[in-house]
Amino acid sequence: DDGNAILCTAKNAVAEDTRTAHIKVVDKPDAPYDVKLIPGGVDEVRSIMLRVRLPVYTGNAELTDVIVDLNAVVVNMQQSSKLAIDFSNFEKNGTVLLYTISSGILPYTCYAASVRLTNDYGQGAAKTSRIVRTEEAEPTSGPANVSVRDIDATSLLVTWLPVPLASRNGNITAHQVSYSSPHHTSRKRSICYNSKCFLESQQRIPVSEGLSVELRDLQSNTKYRIQVRAINGAGYSSWTSVDHATKDLDGGSSPMPFTPPPGYNILGAAGMKVDETHIPAPTGTEITFAAGPASDENGPVDFYRLLLVDMGRVKNVSKLHP
């Protein structure tokens, strides 16, 4: 037994002598009584608190190191790292040791730790913690390969690929699409994976895959900036942007540029507003304007186009021939 005294007596016919010896039995330490991982510490997303409760028997020797095998499941792959933490670096609270692991910790990742105690006589048995998962962080990249296809002159189909697995940093619950033009203020639509998704746009569109959306009631022959971003429980990814011009109403991609007549709004070939003149026109108003020159450096003028716009949306289009 530890610390017991052993009395040794030597004796002959003449006399006897006695000596006392103290024997200390040392060994490798037992496994920790309990090991627990707690997400958080310095940073709830990228750090984990390791809590180790010491065993009753530590081998009758001072502990020197704590060996930690930290196992992570990252994007369907198993990763392992081994840490040898000096015993003096732990915060001690009675029989409980505390240590914050912050190097290499990833958001929204499952971790488990296997811990062994070490003294001068060897390394003890291991004790394994339960699996825990770190908190979500904002996606580090946006959706990939955003593309736009014409449905008709006032409608577009927007498609995209998901955020790469390694960049999601959580569970992607929705995508948000923003579209704007020189004639439209920015609008947003939210495409959610479930009915619990409440977003700033107040528009929820449950979809099975959430990788496409139709944009309707657009202006024809107009250049739009279309942006898509992903949303998880921690926030938003960056926007992925693409520019696309809607078709002309007569089926062409854009009209031939010509000089606009006075008092008339017209879109140039690139979808940019050439003249900024707005005429309030209540029902029954007769609209007249002076025609511009019959031709310019781009060639003869074939026709003018008169657009009736209500609340930013094209309601009627008329061709006026010179």
Side-chain angles (χ1 to χ4, degrees):
D1 292 335
D2 180 27
N4 283 354
I6 296 179
L7 185 65
C8 182
T9 301
K11 185 178 181 181
N12 61 19
V14 178
E16 66 179 40
D17 195 7
T18 301
R19 293 289 186 268
T20 301
H22 292 271
I23 296 177
K24 182 178 182 180
V25 178
V26 294
D27 196 0
K28 296 180 293 186
D30 285 348
Y33 179 78
D34 184 53
V35 174
K36 188 173 184 178
L37 291 177
I38 306 170
V42 178
D43 182 337
E44 290 187 359
V45 175
R46 298 184 183 273
S47 66
I48 291 179
M49 176 74 73
L50 171 65
R51 190 182 74 178
V52 179
R53 188 178 295 276
L54 296 177
V56 174
Y57 182 66
T58 60
N60 287 328
E62 290 188 3
L63 297 175
T64 56
D65 293 300
V66 179
I67 307 301
V68 181
D69 286 312
L70 189 64
N71 298 288
V73 178
V74 184
V75 192
N76 298 323
M77 295 178 60
Q78 195 81 18
Q79 292 186 356
S80 179
S81 58
K82 179 170 287 190
L83 307 174
I85 307 169
D86 190 283
F87 187 75
S88 62
N89 290 331
F90 279 85
E91 178 185 342
K92 302 173 183 66
N93 184 9
T95 60
V96 176
L97 308 178
L98 298 174
Y99 184 83
T100 298
I101 304 172
S102 55
S103 177
I105 300 300
L106 301 174
Y108 205 67
T109 301
C110 293
Y111 287 93
S114 178
V115 176
R116 298 172 184 266
L117 301 176
T118 300
N119 61 20
D120 289 336
Y121 299 93
Q123 190 177 108
K127 179 76 172 182
T128 302
S129 71
R130 293 183 177 181
I131 297 174
V132 299
R133 187 173 65 195
T134 52
E135 298 293 329
E136 291 184 273
E138 293 181 350
T140 49
S141 66
N145 294 351
V146 175
S147 63
V148 183
R149 181 171 61 85
D150 294 293
I151 299 175
D152 53 41
T154 60
S155 303
L156 299 174
L157 175 65
V158 183
T159 61
W160 58 91
L161 295 179
V163 175
L165 283 172
S167 301
R168 294 179 185 178
N169 295 336
N171 182 32
I172 301 297
T173 57
H175 290 94
Q176 192 172 61
V177 176
S178 170
Y179 56 102
S180 60
S181 75
H183 317 287
H184 264 159
T185 56
S186 179
R187 299 181 181 182
K188 293 184 176 68
R189 297 180 67 180
S190 300
I191 297 86
C192 304
Y193 290 131
N194 54 63
S195 59
K196 296 180 181 178
C197 185
F198 294 92
L199 301 171
E200 60 196 32
S201 67
Q202 302 300 313
Q203 274 191 307
R204 292 181 291 124
I205 309 171
V207 295
S208 58
E209 296 183 355
L211 300 178
S212 67
V213 65
E214 292 184 6
L215 304 181
R216 297 191 176 276
D217 299 322
L218 306 177
Q219 291 184 348
S220 62
N221 192 30
T222 301
K223 183 179 180 180
Y224 282 89
R225 167 61 58 90
I226 299 167
Q227 299 177 298
V228 183
R229 65 180 175 181
I231 306 170
N232 66 14
Y236 302 90
S237 73
S238 58
W239 290 105
T240 303
S241 302
V242 64
D243 293 332
H244 187 88
T246 52
K247 290 182 178 181
D248 190 26
L249 282 172
D250 62 5
S253 59
S254 62
M256 181 179 293
F258 61 96
T259 304
Y264 182 66
N265 283 343
I266 188 170
L267 303 179
M272 302 303 293
K273 189 170 290 186
V274 178
D275 185 35
E276 184 75 26
T277 304
H278 298 269
I279 305 174
T283 302
T285 299
E286 180 178 324
I287 299 175
T288 60
F289 60 87
S295 64
D296 59 15
E297 68 274 9
N298 294 308
V301 174
D302 295 324
F303 60 87
Y304 297 109
R305 179 172 287 114
L306 182 64
L307 285 76
L308 175 62
V309 180
D310 181 23
M311 299 298 291
R313 297 185 177 184
V314 177
K315 296 297 185 180
N316 187 42
V317 178
S318 300
K319 282 185 178 181
L320 304 177
H321 295 273

